[in-house]
Amino acid sequence: MRQQNNKSAVGQPIRHDSAHLHVTGRATYVDDIPELRGTLYAAVGQSARAHARVTSLDLSAVLSAPGVVAVMTAKDIPGKNDCGPMVDDEPILADGLVQCVGQALFSVAARSIEQARRAVRLAIVEYEDLEPIFTVQEAIAAQSFVLPTMHLRRGDAKPAISKAPHRLRGSIRMGGQEQFYLEGHIAYAVPRDDGGMHIYTSTQHPTETQMHVAHALHLAEKDVVAECRRMGGGFGGKESGSVLFACNAALLAQKTGRPVKLRVDRDDDMVMTGKRHDFETSFEVGFDRDGRIRGIEMDVAGRCGYSADLSAGVNDRAALTSDNTYFLENVAIHSYRCKTNTVSATAFRGFGGPQGALGIEQVIEEIAFHLGKDPLEVRKANLYGIEERNVTHYGQVLKDNVIADLISKLELSSGYADRRRDARTFNATSGHLKKGIALTPLKYGISFTAPHLNQAGALVHVYTDGSVMLNHGGTEMGQGLFTKVAQVVSEEFGIDVDRIRITASDTSKVPNTSATAASSGSDLNGKAAQDAARRIRQRLAGLAAAHFGVVQESVHFARNEVRAGDQAISFAELAQLAHFNQISLSANGYYRTPMLDWDAKTLTGTRPFYYFVYGAAVSEVLVDILTGESRVLRTDILHDVGRSLNPAIDRGQIEGAFAQGMGWLTMEELCWDAKGRLTTHAPSTYKIPVASDMPRDFRVALYESPGNVEDSIHRSKAIGEPPVLHGISVFHALRDAIASVADYTLSPRLDAPATAERILFSVIDLQRRAAAMRAPQEVLAV
């Protein structure tokens, strides 16, 4: 029994299944679902204080406001008042204590959106202010943590550092990042028969939505259905963050017995929801004259906000990715999960990996400046090896290490060495415009670091006309997951992909799903769907063999037909024949990632990741040292995708992830005032990359690979998160340009994001330091 290539199956660069709907405005998002009669509209009242006790909450004016039908407070919740994904520390509605500006205090249902939003502003709230904590340093000083500090060690770092020929200390601060999905948070709760509830929600995690809504309503999970056909972007912000809005909509719907829609406007969305974690990384490193690291100790501190949310996994991955592509023989990493009176930080594409990698890349750069070497030379000196120096600091053996070959290929194809020399020649004669260039690599582990999440289910129906309905536990947020999984099923049945109907993620069809996160969507759901399709195909192959009198091994599926020896039947005809022969044309599929060995509670084990993704990027920038403004002139990326399921989608993901990583490190700045209020809560004050910010010359290539060494879906590799790390090349190219101000003798002091202001301040600082170094020599000359 075999299947052959068919139109639009695995490996073909077909378009996104909803592309024509996206560009014509016909794609149905939650807010586009036709509203039922009697629908009410909700808004959420928020805390105006960062840390305070609520001494009085007077909602009488809210209740009497025009159009208001119901108000919900913490005491009105019939079930559990919590929506924390890992720890019960995040109330749906604050009950006496508020811990950040924007925390939900109460919710309102009214006959129109405008009435609901006007009503919440009428609440009279009195507070008793408490001392707030806003920064990582304040949290560490106060020993304020949402979770215990974790330590990851190998060898003996301190003696190795002290015995090394060279030693350095340094640090880098990196800001958070707003997910800025095009579609904001929204939930539409519809009461069903006998107390049930159906939630249409823009979420990456329907099962978690189902679970928390059930707990809040004091229902069993069977009584709640969560459904999501598509999101207008997620980027991690809708993994746990969507639950708060779904719970509030459902509570009001249960209380009123009417459908309730809660759609948050952009300003409230940005104020109320979690972002990428800010990090501060400090280090002490010992190294030899070649730049090879002998020992390193790192403090990696994440600002988690007021609750744990997903900070355990984010900070774990930051610690696990603090090696990036480098072998660290003697290492100690101390991971601090800092509690602050800011909105709880949450998942964001990369999930701590970009922060961990940026930290060690800063170390590499400082070593290079200290030794007067090209940073690429130091990077190569520290790379993981193939047969030796091939075990990570957490004990996993690298079986698929292609990073040295990938870097060599990119170095050659990009003309890195010549362009680096040309940049220095240009800078020597240019007055205020300076060029910089950097090549940075990446290694990114694929799997949830919480092992139980590495599983998925799928449901496949074949109808008697040969068309197919596909459902699985993954969610579509524009990344092309549904398209890739449909290609997998298309391949199994040997039919065109347009014969497959992809249906909404729905907890009543596939239960107990994991979030679509950790870049695992295609790996998990593709395998589950393949399992379901193969079960049906096996039955069909047996029927075809019996029908045509051949052995089952001679049956193969291709080009919308099924061949049995010299005879053939269309796939649709075989499906109808199966129905008349009382053979089931429906199957559930299941998959769990094999061979994982990891205890997230202790950071111990030998295999937290199923496999690794590799890549490298070269970016060249131009900086105006008089204004701090900068532009990316060219970027070359070579990225490892294994055997691509869909090269068009993979390239799009690489390009988009790079833009998001570049934005995080160059322009997307989150600012809070002295009272803990977010001041950058709209597109007018928070800037994301646009088309004009992309490299003038942008070259993306897929690394030629025989496929994943592990049995991933069709030997492909994950694509969603790893390419974010390519943005690091832009940050270090900016540092390279700034360094020209001091003739590359001093390392620039630059934190992220490298906005125009920070670049200008870094240039001024470097000029002053260079002048201070020259001053004694000038005195001696006189």
Side-chain angles (χ1 to χ4, degrees):
M1 179 179 63
R2 296 172 291 137
Q3 74 273 3
Q4 297 178 351
N5 289 336
N6 49 280
K7 178 184 174 184
S8 299
V10 165
Q12 300 301 311
I14 68 170
R15 63 170 173 80
H16 191 288
D17 72 280
S18 296
H20 62 295
L21 302 177
H22 293 157
V23 299
T24 58
R26 292 184 291 130
T28 300
Y29 296 90
V30 173
D31 204 28
D32 301 314
I33 297 171
E35 294 172 359
L36 297 173
R37 186 174 63 186
T39 292
L40 299 174
Y41 304 89
V44 179
Q46 305 166 37
S47 167
R49 298 288 197 278
H51 194 201
R53 291 188 183 91
V54 178
T55 57
S56 175
L57 179 60
D58 182 356
L59 301 179
S60 55
V62 177
L63 281 163
S64 61
V68 170
V69 175
V71 171
M72 178 70 60
T73 64
K75 64 181 177 61
D76 301 318
I77 297 175
K80 186 177 180 180
N81 182 20
D82 186 81
C83 59
M86 306 297 289
V87 180
D88 293 345
D89 64 349
E90 193 167 345
I92 299 167
L93 296 171
D95 188 9
L97 176 70
V98 292
Q99 299 186 74
C100 76
V101 173
Q103 186 174 353
L105 276 173
F106 63 94
S107 56
V108 172
R111 292 185 177 86
S112 74
I113 294 173
E114 184 178 357
Q115 288 174 333
R117 292 177 178 174
R118 286 183 180 277
V120 296
R121 297 178 180 274
L122 301 177
I124 300 173
V125 187
E126 295 181 2
Y127 301 93
E128 178 189 336
D129 287 320
L130 303 172
E131 189 67 26
I133 294 173
F134 292 135
T135 69
V136 164
Q137 292 303 321
E138 289 172 354
I140 291 175
Q143 292 293 286
S144 174
F145 304 112
V146 295
L147 294 164
T149 299
M150 302 294 287
H151 305 278
L152 188 57
R153 296 183 175 93
R154 176 169 63 180
D156 202 343
K158 287 186 181 297
I161 295 169
S162 64
K163 294 176 183 177
H166 302 274
R167 293 181 296 279
L168 281 175
R169 293 178 184 267
S171 65
I172 183 171
R173 295 182 180 182
M174 54 202 89
Q177 187 179 19
E178 164 66 29
Q179 290 86 356
F180 218 93
Y181 23 70
L182 291 180
E183 176 202 30
H185 279 288
I186 184 170
Y188 186 33
V190 180
R192 297 301 191 197
D193 286 351
D194 201 19
M197 190 67 64
H198 196 121
I199 311 290
Y200 299 95
T201 176
S202 183
T203 184
Q204 294 173 236
H205 203 340
T207 288
E208 186 165 36
T209 301
Q210 174 195 34
M211 178 184 70
H212 281 290
V213 167
H215 292 173
L217 301 184
H218 200 58
L219 298 175
E221 291 174 26
K222 67 177 177 61
D223 299 319
V224 176
V225 174
E227 180 179 335
C228 177
R229 173 55 183 90
R230 61 174 59 85
M231 288 165 274
F235 309 115
K238 296 177 181 176
E239 183 173 345
S240 62
S242 56
V243 173
L244 171 69
F245 305 103
C247 286
N248 273 287
L251 286 163
L252 288 165
Q254 184 187 61
K255 185 172 184 176
T256 62
R258 295 165 64 174
V260 173
K261 178 183 283 188
L262 173 52
R263 186 184 72 222
V264 191
D265 76 8
R266 179 64 64 180
D267 294 87
D268 288 341
D269 194 309
M270 292 185 71
V271 168
M272 295 179 70
T273 63
K275 333 246 175 250
R276 188 187 294 280
H277 289 63
D278 301 32
F279 267 77
E280 294 188 19
T281 296
S282 59
F283 61 87
E284 183 178 13
V285 61
F287 51 96
D288 62 22
R289 64 181 183 181
D290 296 321
R292 180 171 286 189
I293 295 172
R294 297 280 185 87
I296 184 169
E297 186 165 16
M298 305 176 76
D299 287 344
V300 182
R303 183 168 75 157
C304 302
Y306 81 88
S307 70
D309 199 88
L310 295 170
S311 290
V314 170
N315 284 268
D316 287 354
R317 187 175 280 270
L320 295 176
T321 314
S322 288
D323 60 336
N324 197 16
T325 56
Y326 311 117
F327 178 74
L328 305 176
E329 186 172 10
N330 298 287
V331 56
I333 298 172
H334 313 292
S335 173
Y336 300 96
R337 294 99 195 274
C338 300
K339 179 173 182 175
T340 56
N341 294 115
T342 51
V343 65
S344 292
T346 190
F348 197 124
R349 195 178 196 172
F351 208 73
Q355 294 97 314
L358 184 61
I360 191 64
E361 291 300 335
Q362 182 74 12
V363 175
I364 293 291
E365 291 277 324
E366 295 294 350
I367 291 172
F369 271 102
H370 182 82
L371 296 175
K373 292 181 176 290
D374 180 346
L376 180 57
E377 185 180 345
V378 178
R379 289 185 168 96
K380 289 179 178 180
N382 285 284
L383 290 177
Y384 278 107
I386 305 298
E387 299 297 333
E388 56 183 11
R389 292 171 53 87
N390 64 342
V391 181
T392 67
H393 59 301
Y394 43 88
Q396 181 163 350
V397 177
L398 300 187
K399 297 170 58 179
D400 58 349
N401 183 7
V402 298
I403 192 59
D405 180 62
L406 192 150
I407 288 174
S408 295
K409 284 182 166 59
L410 180 63
E411 184 182 3
L412 182 63
S413 66
S414 68
Y416 169 81
D418 289 341
R419 289 167 59 199
R420 187 170 187 268
R421 283 192 296 270
D422 291 345
R424 275 148 177 73
T425 301
F426 174 87
N427 291 342
T429 58
S430 176
H432 64 280
L433 297 178
K434 303 294 182 180
K435 288 184 177 181
I437 190 169
L439 188 158
T440 59
L442 71 86
K443 171 181 65 67
Y444 194 93
I446 302 300
S447 288
F448 286 99
T449 52
H452 73 280
L453 297 177
N454 295 289
Q455 58 178 308
L459 175 64
V460 174
H461 299 324
V462 176
Y463 296 98
T464 55
D465 65 351
S467 62
V468 175
M469 190 281 290
L470 168 63
N471 192 271
H472 55 78
T475 56
E476 176 63 50
M477 60 196 92
Q479 83 279 38
L481 171 63
F482 279 19
T483 304
K484 285 186 172 183
V485 178
Q487 287 179 270
V488 170
V489 174
S490 165
E491 184 84 7
E492 293 302 317
F493 289 141
I495 61 175
D496 293 343
V497 76
D498 59 12
R499 297 289 293 160
I500 299 170
R501 164 69 70 173
I502 308 166
T503 57
S505 306
D506 184 328
T507 57
S508 67
K509 292 180 179 177
V510 176
N512 310 318
T513 60
S514 297
T516 303
S519 303
S520 64
S522 296
D523 283 0
L524 296 177
N525 297 287
K527 278 285 194 179
Q530 183 184 60
D531 179 52
R534 283 181 174 177
R535 292 174 186 274
I536 298 172
R537 196 186 74 198
Q538 188 76 15
R539 299 170 199 158
L540 292 175
L543 173 63
H547 182 73
F548 290 114
V550 299
V551 295
Q552 189 165 327
E553 288 69 25
S554 68
V555 176
H556 61 272
F557 295 70
R559 301 182 182 88
N560 300 302
E561 65 178 15
V562 181
R563 300 197 65 84
D566 296 331
Q567 304 172 83
I569 186 173
S570 74
F571 184 80
E573 290 172 323
L574 184 60
Q576 191 168 50
L577 185 64
H579 180 65
F580 279 104
N581 280 272
Q582 298 174 301
I583 294 173
S584 172
L585 291 173
S586 178
N588 293 303
Y590 179 78
Y591 175 75
R592 64 177 183 179
T593 307
M595 299 185 289
L596 299 180
D597 172 30
W598 188 250
D599 183 348
K601 294 180 179 178
T602 60
L603 298 188
T604 58
T606 58
R607 189 163 188 170
F609 304 120
Y610 188 33
Y611 62 87
F612 293 92
V613 170
Y614 302 89
V618 176
S619 287
E620 184 177 357
V621 301
L622 185 67
V623 173
D624 186 333
I625 63 171
L626 297 181
T627 66
E629 294 172 293
S630 64
R631 181 174 299 283
V632 183
L633 301 176
R634 175 177 163 182
T635 294
D636 299 62
I637 293 174
L638 184 58
H639 195 84
D640 169 30
V641 297
R643 192 178 298 156
S644 176
L645 292 174
N646 186 317
I649 286 176
D650 286 348
R651 285 177 181 273
Q653 286 291 292
I654 293 168
E655 293 168 0
F658 166 80
Q660 204 159 42
M662 177 184 70
W664 166 53
L665 294 173
T666 62
M667 65 181 68
E668 298 186 43
E669 186 171 26
L670 293 163
C671 299
W672 283 264
D673 67 15
K675 294 183 178 181
R677 296 174 298 196
L678 182 68
T679 59
T680 49
H681 51 75
S684 58
T685 52
Y686 185 83
K687 298 300 182 183
I688 64 171
V690 295
S692 60
D693 296 307
M694 295 298 284
R696 290 284 198 261
D697 186 350
F698 196 16
R699 309 181 188 193
V700 175
L702 305 183
Y703 178 72
E704 291 185 10
S705 167
N708 197 338
V709 297
E710 301 298 348
D711 184 25
S712 59
I713 186 68
H714 288 283
R715 302 287 176 173
S716 64
K717 287 192 174 186
I719 191 63
E721 294 173 299
V724 172
L725 278 67
H726 290 312
I728 295 174
S729 64
V730 176
F731 182 78
H732 285 300
L734 291 170
R735 294 183 80 251
D736 185 55
I738 296 168
S740 67
V741 172
D743 198 25
Y744 306 100
T745 58
L746 296 172
S747 175
R749 294 168 178 163
L750 183 66
D751 291 326
T755 59
E757 294 88 348
R758 281 202 177 95
I759 289 173
L760 184 58
F761 293 154
S762 180
V763 167
I764 294 170
D765 172 74
L766 200 60
Q767 289 171 332
R768 289 173 177 170
R769 288 159 56 203
M773 288 181 62
R774 291 193 301 269
Q777 299 174 357
E778 293 169 357
V779 170
L780 286 174
V782 172

